[in-house]
Amino acid sequence: MASYYVAVADRISPHLEGRPVSFVRAPEGLRGETFFQRHQLAGMSAGIKLIPDPGGEHKDFVALEGVEGLITAAQFGVIELHGWGARLPHLNRPDRVVLDLDPDPAVGFAAVRHAAVELKRLFTGVKLQCFVMLTGGKGIHVILPVDASQEWDEITDFAEGIAQGLADAEPSRFVATASKAKRRNRIYVDWLRNRLTASAIVPWSLRAKPTASVAMPVTWRELEKMDAADRFTLRTATARKNPWPDFFSIKQRIDPDMLDYLRRQLGKSARSPPAKKRTGKA
């Protein structure tokens, strides 16, 4: 694991810089128990940055600093890295939106792939640029970088509005609630990752799977040829170049009028803040 993370450090580190992370650990290997952990372990110090809880309710959270932090995590049996949706110093202002297309086992990957393309068309129609990632498990993440000019309630409502809109338009295909009973034969559009302290698997992270699969960013053209979300593994991922060279240069924000519309659809009051000047790409 350490060798893998060192090999992809140039590709994964930009997604981790200043971002609180949660770990999935398997200290006894994949045959043993796995743990989800959000705080520092005793002795975990090299390359580890402590981050006070913004709500003041929990122990310090952690972020990884460079290759040293990746190696330390691997030495403590950390396989998966899950990142928050915001970075220091603005933990109350997210810099990405993640919509997780999580299929019921009865749903084939082609249907998930098609749903991701539909989301891309939707976002393109409202002048938002999005990226696609194979999760290394069953599903796909559609990710929108945003410019950290809006707060969590705006980003959360946007993500919920998109997810619920899909579920309302095609209830036989999509569901926006986490109920397992309602997810049968459908794709769960998980919007709940877009909240303070919630997290999502980081691009290039290993997954705690028997095949040592990787959460792999791909291009939209590559997605057309993909037949599974766990296509890439520890043994094949390191040879890939970064398919998202412009990801961090995208500066976009959610249009207040669109946000108000989505809030009304959700039965919430429209409460957008005054529009702010846009910078960079729209």
Side-chain angles (χ1 to χ4, degrees), residues 157 160-162 164-165 168 258-271:
D157 287 350
E160 182 184 6
I162 295 296
Q164 191 60 56
D168 291 343
M258 177 171 57
L259 181 59
D260 284 347
Y261 170 79
L262 292 172
R263 282 171 164 165
R264 286 193 295 269
Q265 296 301 109
L266 293 169
K268 299 182 179 182
S269 60
R271 45 197 168 95

Side-chain angles (χ1 to χ4, degrees), residues 15-246:
H15 294 279
L16 291 170
E17 183 179 356
R19 193 182 300 281
V21 294
S22 300
F23 305 131
V24 172
R25 299 175 58 235
E28 298 178 359
L30 289 177
R31 295 177 183 272
E33 189 174 357
T34 58
F35 303 87
F36 191 80
Q37 190 158 337
R38 301 200 296 171
H39 306 288
Q40 184 185 33
L41 290 162
M44 180 183 274
S45 58
I48 302 296
K49 181 180 180 64
L50 298 182
I51 300 174
D53 174 20
E57 299 176 0
H58 304 283
K59 294 193 304 182
D60 289 348
F61 295 102
V62 297
L64 301 183
E65 297 186 310
V67 176
E68 190 174 39
L70 290 166
I71 293 173
T72 294
Q75 289 174 331
F76 278 82
V78 173
I79 300 179
E80 298 186 4
L81 300 170
H82 294 248
W84 288 24
R87 301 175 187 260
L88 293 171
H90 305 297
L91 294 181
N92 289 314
R93 294 184 178 271
D95 69 344
R96 69 180 189 189
V97 181
V98 177
L99 289 170
D100 178 6
L101 300 176
D102 184 8
D104 179 75
V107 177
F109 184 73
V112 187
R113 188 177 60 216
H114 182 60
V117 173
E118 287 183 279
L119 265 179
K120 178 182 184 293
R121 291 185 186 133
L122 186 157
F123 290 134
T124 300
V126 292
K127 296 182 172 57
L128 289 172
Q129 188 165 347
C130 60
F131 295 77
V132 63
M133 182 181 76
L134 306 178
T135 64
K138 304 190 291 4
I140 290 173
H141 284 185
V142 176
I143 304 172
L144 295 87
V146 291
D147 64 4
S149 67
Q150 294 167 293
E151 297 186 353
W152 277 112
D153 64 336
E154 298 166 88
I155 296 303
T156 302
D157 287 350
F158 170 75
E160 182 184 6
I162 295 296
Q164 191 60 56
L166 290 174
D168 291 343
E170 297 192 70
S172 65
R173 294 178 61 204
F174 300 109
V175 63
T177 59
S179 166
K180 288 189 176 181
K182 295 182 179 179
R183 291 167 62 176
R184 186 170 181 178
N185 296 318
R186 294 172 175 84
I187 297 171
Y188 170 40
V189 187
D190 184 356
W191 56 273
L192 293 170
R193 301 178 185 280
N194 301 284
R195 299 179 299 174
L196 179 65
T197 77
S199 60
I201 194 73
V202 171
W204 300 94
S205 173
L206 290 169
R207 302 306 306 265
K209 309 289 185 183
T211 59
S213 55
V214 172
M216 179 57 68
V218 296
T219 66
W220 287 102
R221 180 167 294 182
E222 284 180 316
L223 181 66
E224 298 172 5
K225 303 176 183 178
M226 297 297 161
D227 56 4
D230 58 356
R231 170 83 173 269
F232 296 95
T233 70
L234 176 149
R235 299 187 183 279
T236 62
T238 55
R240 277 179 58 81
K241 295 181 180 179
N242 176 21
W244 295 354
D246 58 342

